[in-house]
Amino acid sequence: MIVSKTDMMMSSGGNLKNRVKAARVARGWSQDVLAQRAGLSRSGVSAIEIERLVPSAAAALALAKALDCRVEDLFSLETFDTSETVWASPPAGDRCRYWQAECGGRQVLYPAATLADVTIAHDGIFDGGNLRTAPRHDAERTLVMACCDPAVGLLAQELAERAQVRLLVIPRSSGQALEMLRDGLVHVAGLHLSHAEREGNADAVTERLGPGGSYALLRAARWEEGLAVAPARHLRSVRSALAARLRWIGREPGSGAHQCLAEIRDGHQAPRHFARSHRGVAETISTGLADAGVCLRLVSDQAGLDFLSVREEAYDLCFAAGNAHDPRLRALIEVIRSPRYQKLISELPGYSAIDMGDLRTVGSG
């Protein structure tokens, strides 16, 4: 297919955003290669990528065909109101880095301290009350998830490679993640508040988000949660651990680990000290500041601790059912259901791919 210069409009991109460069780079192509495959000039491809040129329908179709994707995967209108900007949490001080994304029609800013992965380039600087945003930012191609999954980096990698979707991960417990979803500050909340065979996750969604809404639960994994114990204690069962005089490290109320520990200790005094994540529990034990605590098998094994399994849990990703058409969420579902990603998950210690990709609706909205 040959697209002539007259088949393209030369003008400012306005509110049309494109992901041509991301799709090209993901395939390892130069601009020359893409131009040849799409029947465009290299200068035309360059102008499109920097949003100096708005392609015609013919040029957009040619690019989509060359990149083996849909036109809407490459081009979209910026539909959110940039005048309505909110902070997911207050910035620390007068100067800080931030990330941003479109959430519920608003532009939401995330201070640097809230993000799990410091390897993601920030989108701008908050300095003395002013926002300085980098031009590389694509708010409508960013998916924001609040969760405590220590393996979420694998999901971020797959989303970037398969769909050119950037995943921002906000470290939160199950309860905190649902609160952020309720407040429209994230697209997805990860939760594990039950045994795999119970309805705890669905019940938690109804309880915390209200019965009037309609939400989707996407099964992301099953995993083992249990006691991580210092090897020097030589404990071989949960019963022996509960009978021993141990220094416990806990998790905050609303987390799956807090729920699990409360159930097995059943009336015993709660821990005095708390960690903010599964890795935090394991690190506290590894450094000798505690003897035992609840976390996932994955982080316990990585820290070289003994692990006493308590239960298998269902780990679900929750999002508003009405947003299921969002390209970012469609990409999330496709990745979760892909054989390659399921294989990666099933090979992690304590993780299982059983039921991965199952999608159901909670509430009647």
Side-chain angles (χ1 to χ4, degrees), residues 22-23 26 154-167 335:
L154 292 175
L155 180 58
Q157 180 178 339
E158 289 292 297
L159 280 168
E161 290 182 0
R162 291 171 60 94
Q164 294 79 56
V165 169
R166 179 179 67 163
L167 180 64
V335 167

Side-chain angles (χ1 to χ4, degrees), residues 230-248:
R233 301 296 304 199
H234 302 293
L235 298 169
R236 295 294 176 263
S237 69
V238 174
R239 183 187 297 272
S240 63
L242 294 175
R245 294 178 61 86
L246 301 177
R247 296 169 299 161
W248 292 86

